[in-house]
Amino acid sequence: MNPYPVSPGEDRLEPGLYIVATPIGNLGDLSPRAASILARADAIAVEDSRVTAKLLNHIGTKRRMIPYHDHSADHVRTDLVARLATESIALVSDAGTPLISDPGYKLVRAARAAGHAIVTIPGPCAAIAALTLAGLPTDRFLFAGFLPVKEKAKADTILELGAVRATLVLYESGPRLHATLTALHTHLGDRDAAVTREISKAYEEAVTGTLSVLAERYAESGPRGEIVIVVAPPGEAPPPEPDAVDALLRDAVTRLPMAKAAAEVAKATGLDKRDLYARALAMRNE
């Protein structure tokens, strides 16, 4: 029995673009709604037809597939947008949610500009799944995709990300895992982190520890499978030294009334404005 039946009367989709999330490993994670959309779409825009063919075979259907990926020429996107006026087209990636670390946003933007209907069918996403496994703060996080390969560009990107007060989520491949963990440790310090791989598959793994510990663990050889690195946000900055605060106050009061000077330093240091005002008064009387 087909676990993803198409209900009677549901054989025709309205024209438009349907963004369909697909499993990242376990085919059982495909939602009935996603399966129904794929089975009824006039065509499917795919990253790799061989991968999507296996998924379609799993749900017992065949559909016309149109390659659409990083290397597609602009006219492919133009043709897809033109088809949306009369056809329903599903957009999928090889695994997970389209547009997350792939170029699908250009198609969505063009379809919206042309006035076509756009529908999202949510589902699996490796970045979100990794966050649930890592045991790190999830109230604020930044997904940064793959870091640059070249050492200088990678270091610059990590330094930029290091100032963000949020958990970082990165994609990486096995052969580059050790180098990336080492670079993260070098430029971010020894933060807590997690390396997750093979999410939803038989050998799902989430290894936690500090960046230095994880870099040492994967020094010999990188693991197989798709990898997500999750890095904890920076710790609270230490309070500024009293001498540094006094120097900021002395400079501020030469330019501003005392109350405004205290407010300026409070904003810069995170210290209490009333305490800084009292300190400025004390310094003036010394």
Side-chain angles (χ1 to χ4, degrees):
M1 179 181 293
N2 187 343
Y4 304 104
V6 176
S7 301
E10 289 190 358
D11 58 342
R12 182 78 172 104
L13 286 175
E14 292 296 321
L17 181 64
Y18 295 78
I19 306 163
V20 183
T22 58
I24 56 179
N26 191 320
L27 293 179
D29 291 338
L30 184 71
S31 73
R33 183 181 176 217
S36 176
I37 295 293
L38 294 177
R40 294 153 58 204
D42 293 316
I44 304 175
V46 304
E47 191 173 353
D48 187 326
S49 59
R50 296 166 297 180
V51 174
T52 302
K54 293 178 182 177
L55 181 62
L56 295 179
N57 182 64
H58 172 71
I59 62 175
T61 192
K62 292 184 179 180
R63 275 294 179 267
R64 176 162 48 101
M65 291 184 280
I66 303 170
Y68 182 70
H69 45 69
D70 277 329
H71 306 294
S72 296
D74 288 344
H75 71 80
V76 177
R77 181 166 60 253
T78 301
D79 178 62
L80 284 171
V81 171
R83 288 171 178 265
L84 293 174
T86 57
E87 296 182 33
S88 57
I89 297 179
L91 172 67
V92 301
S93 62
D94 282 351
T97 301
L99 280 73
I100 305 302
S101 199
D102 78 28
Y105 79 91
K106 296 178 183 178
L107 177 59
V108 172
R109 183 170 59 188
R112 191 175 301 284
H116 298 305
I118 301 171
V119 180
T120 187
I121 296 83
C125 174
I128 300 301
L131 275 169
T132 68
L133 291 170
L136 295 172
T138 57
D139 54 330
R140 295 182 68 191
F141 61 88
L142 172 66
F143 172 67
F146 287 91
L147 292 173
V149 176
K150 293 185 177 179
E151 188 174 341
K152 176 64 165 58
K154 178 183 287 187
D156 289 344
T157 301
I158 293 172
L159 287 171
E160 179 183 352
L161 295 173
V164 178
R165 304 198 68 79
T167 296
L168 304 177
V169 184
L170 309 164
Y171 286 167
E172 193 50 276
S173 65
R176 296 202 299 260
L177 179 60
H178 171 66
T180 294
L181 289 170
T182 300
L184 288 167
H185 176 222
T186 299
H187 300 295
L188 299 182
D190 212 11
R191 296 190 193 179
D192 287 335
V195 172
T196 69
R197 69 182 190 92
E198 297 291 88
I199 295 174
S200 82
K201 299 178 183 178
Y203 298 102
E204 177 179 285
E205 181 180 59
V207 180
T208 60
T210 62
L211 285 169
S212 62
V213 168
L214 292 173
E216 183 177 354
R217 177 187 176 98
Y218 296 108
E220 296 299 323
S221 61
R224 294 181 180 181
E226 297 178 349
I227 296 166
V228 185
I229 303 172
V230 185
V231 183
E236 293 297 326
E241 294 292 329
D243 289 346
V245 175
D246 286 353
L248 290 173
L249 282 171
R250 288 191 187 95
D251 173 70
V253 296
T254 63
R255 299 178 284 102
L256 300 166
M258 193 170 297
K260 290 186 177 180
E264 178 182 275
V265 177
K267 185 176 181 180
T269 62
L271 298 175
D272 185 82
K273 180 172 64 175
R274 290 168 297 182
D275 291 343
L276 290 168
Y277 184 82
R279 177 57 186 157
L281 282 175
M283 291 169 58
R284 186 181 65 178
N285 296 328
E286 287 178 356

